[in-house]
Amino acid sequence: LQVRLSGRVPQICCLHGPSAAGGAYMPAFTDWVGMVDGNASMYLASPRVAEQVTGERTTLEEMGGARMHATVSGCGDEVFDSDWQVIAAARLLLSYLPSSWQAEPSRLTGAEPETDSWPDDLIPADPNTAYDAMSVISRLVDARTFFEIKPRWATEIVTGLARMDGRVVGIVANQPSVRSGAIFVDSADKAARFVMLCDAYNIPLIFLQDVPGFMVGVAVERQGIIRHGAKMVTAMASAVVPKFSVVLRKAYAAGYYAMCAPGFEPRATLALPTAAIGTMSPEASVSAVYANQIAAIDDPAEREAFVAARIVEQKADQNLLRMASEIVVDAIVQPNRLRIELSRRLAAADGWSRPAVGRHHVISPV
């Protein structure tokens, strides 16, 4: 029944105690799981059974406690100190969701953001300098409306529901203050699940990009970063709700694609003046493309001058005005106008509808 209802009506789980064996799958099938710290747990076998089968000694909290599931496994969305808090959070979440997939989320009277000031250094010009994505989100959405989904898990990406001028929106944002905002295996899964949730319940999506790309290296390749990344791209590309992409700063490589690049038909791709779009950073690109030429130059000063000249060429290729002229981006927006621009474009999307005949389901990467 839960599977048949999935994506048709919201399913919310407030977990106040243990959910064991086959019963552990019941929360897993829901759209959101809130867990009471110290009481709630999910596990397929108790620590005693696990010890008998595998010889492993552990505790209930370590193997299936609320904090483990909210920070490590991703099965839990949030941890609460008491029963009433998890119930209050569930009620708040339901206020963002429609009664079914055939209804629209309720619109309320809009409110101003927590702050409308944009200091010049809010988004540092240096792409390697970290900042908190929440400082951007708080300037875009109505004050105190951001409901973060899975805030303790895969924190290099931020997902959550909010209101913008009273309309419900889903936000997917790279988090430069954690792992530089690169997309890892878990963050790809987190984003994919959230995009599917929003698409199921008619919630427009806003992607806030500041991404160096998907993480690379032996460890993530063995974890299946290609497979998990494909899952994120599939979810994003399959979503039919209105999508809007905003390039805040860097947008490189496949991370740019996964965060709803123009080829995936967002309603608009907007860019701040700090934006840079490309296959990789100019420095990395020069190092990769001109590796042999650089290695062949013996004189350090000549080598440095050669590299500097090539970096200037690469940066020119990423020029925002050129990209706007080629409709890679639809508009270059000043930061203090971004909320207004997004609100207007959301208003223009009012009354959108799903295709009359939906496509047969995709075969999503596992």
Side-chain angles (χ1 to χ4, degrees):
L1 177 61
Q2 281 187 280
V3 174
R4 291 177 64 184
L5 291 176
S6 180
R8 294 178 175 271
V9 296
Q11 298 183 61
I12 306 298
C13 175
C14 296
L15 198 57
H16 302 275
S19 185
Y25 288 104
M26 294 178 68
F29 285 127
T30 64
D31 300 322
W32 181 85
V33 181
M35 302 180 72
V36 179
D37 195 20
N39 291 333
S41 59
M42 288 186 281
Y43 49 88
L44 296 182
S46 69
R48 184 178 301 174
V49 172
E51 183 178 356
Q52 289 293 321
V53 174
T54 67
E56 179 184 34
R57 291 190 174 186
T58 185
T59 65
L60 186 59
E61 282 298 313
E62 182 182 20
M63 187 170 72
R67 291 188 178 275
M68 188 284 289
H69 281 303
T71 61
V72 180
S73 76
C75 290
D77 285 86
E78 185 54 294
V79 178
F80 298 89
D81 293 329
S82 62
D83 293 335
W84 73 265
Q85 287 178 322
V86 69
I87 293 171
R91 293 180 65 178
L92 178 59
L93 173 58
L94 286 169
S95 72
Y96 292 89
L97 303 176
S99 57
S100 78
W101 71 279
Q102 295 173 312
E104 297 294 326
S106 63
R107 185 182 177 188
L108 304 180
T109 302
E112 293 299 314
E114 290 183 17
T115 177
D116 58 2
S117 67
W118 282 79
D120 291 339
D121 60 349
L122 183 70
I123 300 176
D126 181 359
N128 297 316
T129 301
Y131 66 93
D132 188 356
M134 291 301 300
S135 65
V136 174
I137 294 171
S138 66
R139 288 167 165 80
L140 297 180
V141 304
D142 297 358
R144 295 179 294 280
T145 65
F146 188 63
F147 188 102
E148 191 168 357
I149 303 294
K150 299 187 186 298
R152 302 170 188 254
W153 183 59
T155 53
E156 62 273 11
I157 204 161
V158 177
T159 56
L161 301 172
R163 292 185 182 274
M164 187 174 291
D165 197 21
R167 295 178 178 86
V168 177
V169 295
I171 292 178
V172 181
N174 306 114
Q175 178 55 285
S177 66
V178 180
R179 293 173 158 182
S180 300
I183 302 173
F184 285 71
V185 167
D186 284 345
S187 42
D189 283 358
K190 175 179 175 178
R193 181 60 151 66
F194 180 73
V195 167
M196 288 188 284
L197 173 79
C198 291
D199 189 51
Y201 297 125
N202 308 315
I203 298 172
L205 283 157
I206 297 173
F207 295 83
L208 302 177
Q209 297 202 42
D210 194 338
V211 59
F214 282 87
M215 187 59 187
V216 298
V218 174
V220 290
E221 292 292 357
R222 290 179 175 179
Q223 291 166 4
I225 188 68
I226 297 171
R227 178 166 48 85
H228 290 270
K231 188 189 309 182
M232 178 179 174
V233 173
T234 298
M236 177 274 299
S238 301
V240 298
V241 296
K243 295 176 288 190
F244 304 88
S245 184
V246 180
V247 183
L248 301 176
R249 194 169 56 173
K250 58 187 177 292
Y252 296 149
Y256 172 48
Y257 304 146
M259 291 292 290
C260 199
F264 296 99
E265 301 182 333
R267 296 288 180 108
T269 298
L270 309 177
L272 298 190
T274 46
I277 302 169
T279 54
M280 60 185 77
S281 71
E283 294 78 8
S285 178
V286 168
S287 178
V289 174
Y290 298 99
N292 291 336
Q293 292 95 315
I294 293 171
I297 300 174
D298 295 326
D299 181 65
E302 182 183 354
R303 187 187 312 118
E304 183 178 347
F306 177 84
V307 170
R310 302 293 82 73
I311 289 175
V312 169
E313 293 173 358
Q314 291 288 328
K315 287 183 176 179
D317 194 49
Q318 294 181 0
N319 181 271
L320 269 183
L321 292 177
R322 181 187 65 78
M323 290 186 176
S325 70
E326 296 176 359
I327 321 180
V328 175
V329 297
D330 295 288
I332 302 171
V333 184
Q334 293 299 321
N336 61 358
R337 300 288 299 176
L338 183 55
R339 171 182 158 91
I340 295 172
E341 185 75 18
L342 285 170
S343 294
R344 288 175 176 173
R345 291 179 183 270
L346 282 165
D350 283 347
W352 72 276
S353 60
R354 293 180 178 275
V357 179
R359 62 159 290 176
H360 187 54
H361 67 78
V362 300
I363 301 175
S364 178
V366 296

